[in-house]
Amino acid sequence: PNLEHYISEGIKYIAGITVPGEYVFYFTYTYNGIESNPVTVKLTITPSPEIPVASSISVCEGSDVPDLTATGTGIKWYADSTLTMLLHKGDSYATGKTQPGSYHYYVTQSTSDCESNAKAVDLIIRKVPGLNLGKDTSILFNGSLTLSAGNSFQSYEWYNGSTQSTITLSGAQLGMGPHAVWLKVTDDYGCVSADTTFVTVMVQTKAAKEGESTDVLVYPNPNNGTLYVKFLGSSSNRVKISVLDQSGKLLMQYTKEH
């Protein structure tokens, strides 16, 4: 080389080059007034690898949480954007997270000892929507009950196929005895919640004393030979039960003092 383009002197030289490529420099040193032959120095700047391909994941509470995955070479997962807290090396990373919340990760790939910029990847575990149909309750055979789940859900599926947010139950339509009334709702993120309440349909009869009423629960109806009779709120101290057939013939009579 002709050494016509002088750059700097000293034991250190900052080239200030950032563009990828290969650059050639020459340096000499002088000893006892004699300059040495030039020594070749090569500076190679390798292009930074592309950011790896990776996607964030959103799941509902209680669902299986899949591993985070990325496509690239020499994949590394970090807990911070400054890439100081290495969590895992490999294409897939099992976070071990199960509780609702937003979890943030950063993934890179490396080629030729060069590490790419980080790709931010989020794991979101969404809380299951809250749903409460209330405590178990009872209604009279000629009565009704309205249940409402509110209007904050995307879809509704009641036990009878209704897709409305509110449902009105009729004692006559349900029939005597206990009934499981369930509802399944889905929120805007596809998370599902369900709840069940039991509604018991009763008949109201007159007690032995004029003007006195007693709620009587008779179930199941129809039955397979076993019939249950339950008195709710009776103020009488003596209960008499008579069982008759369709012709009015007395089949059985039962009296209980309480």
Side-chain angles (χ1 to χ4, degrees):
N2 295 326
L3 305 182
E4 295 178 351
H5 186 194
Y6 175 77
I7 297 176
S8 179
E9 66 178 22
I11 61 173
K12 181 172 68 174
Y13 170 61
I14 300 175
I17 301 173
T18 58
V19 178
E22 187 174 272
Y23 304 89
V24 179
F25 300 88
Y26 303 94
F27 78 89
T28 64
Y29 62 91
T30 301
Y31 182 73
N32 291 331
I34 301 174
E35 186 174 14
S36 70
N37 292 326
V39 178
T40 303
V41 176
K42 291 184 178 180
L43 169 63
T44 302
I45 301 178
T46 302
S48 177
E50 296 290 332
I51 294 175
V53 177
S55 299
S56 296
I57 293 177
S58 174
V59 297
C60 300
E61 178 185 9
S63 302
D64 292 336
V65 179
D67 294 349
L68 299 177
T69 60
T71 302
T73 303
I75 297 295
K76 295 179 181 179
W77 299 88
Y78 294 89
D80 61 319
S81 60
T82 57
L83 310 183
T84 60
M85 298 176 62
L86 179 64
L87 296 173
H88 180 69
K89 294 181 180 180
D91 295 348
S92 63
Y93 171 50
T95 65
K97 303 296 185 183
T98 58
Q99 296 302 311
S102 295
Y103 305 95
H104 309 291
Y105 303 94
Y106 303 86
V107 58
T108 67
Q109 71 168 325
S110 298
T111 58
S112 301
D113 296 326
C114 294
E115 190 170 14
S116 70
N117 292 327
K119 165 79 172 181
V121 178
D122 294 332
L123 168 63
I124 302 175
I125 303 178
R126 301 191 183 279
K127 190 173 181 61
V128 170
L131 177 64
N132 185 3
L133 293 179
K135 296 181 179 179
D136 297 346
T137 187
S138 60
I139 59 175
L140 296 177
F141 184 80
N142 61 350
S144 63
L145 173 68
T146 298
L147 297 175
S148 176
N151 299 314
S152 60
F153 301 108
Q154 183 68 26
S155 65
Y156 304 80
E157 181 185 348
W158 291 90
Y159 78 105
N160 61 355
S162 173
T163 57
Q164 304 300 312
S165 62
T166 300
I167 191 173
T168 298
L169 305 173
S170 165
Q173 292 178 346
L174 288 174
M176 298 298 299
H179 302 272
V181 177
W182 57 263
L183 170 63
K184 183 170 68 175
V185 297
T186 304
D187 66 11
D188 293 336
Y189 301 103
C191 296
V192 177
S193 183
D195 190 28
T196 299
T197 186
F198 284 86
V199 178
T200 302
V201 179
M202 305 182 301
V203 295
Q204 188 176 51
T205 62
K206 285 187 178 180
K209 196 172 182 180
E210 185 67 27
E212 187 179 60
S213 64
T214 305
D215 289 333
V216 181
L217 174 61
V218 182
Y219 64 94
N221 185 19
N223 63 79
N224 59 1
T226 301
L227 190 66
Y228 297 92
V229 180
K230 186 175 182 179
F231 292 83
L232 306 175
S234 173
S235 60
S236 174
N237 292 325
R238 189 168 183 266
V239 175
K240 183 178 181 181
I241 300 175
S242 299
V243 180
L244 296 83
D245 63 13
Q246 292 181 345
S247 65
K249 178 182 177 181
L250 180 65
L251 301 178
M252 184 183 72
Q253 197 169 70
Y254 176 78
T255 302
K256 182 177 181 180
E257 303 285 344
H258 67 92

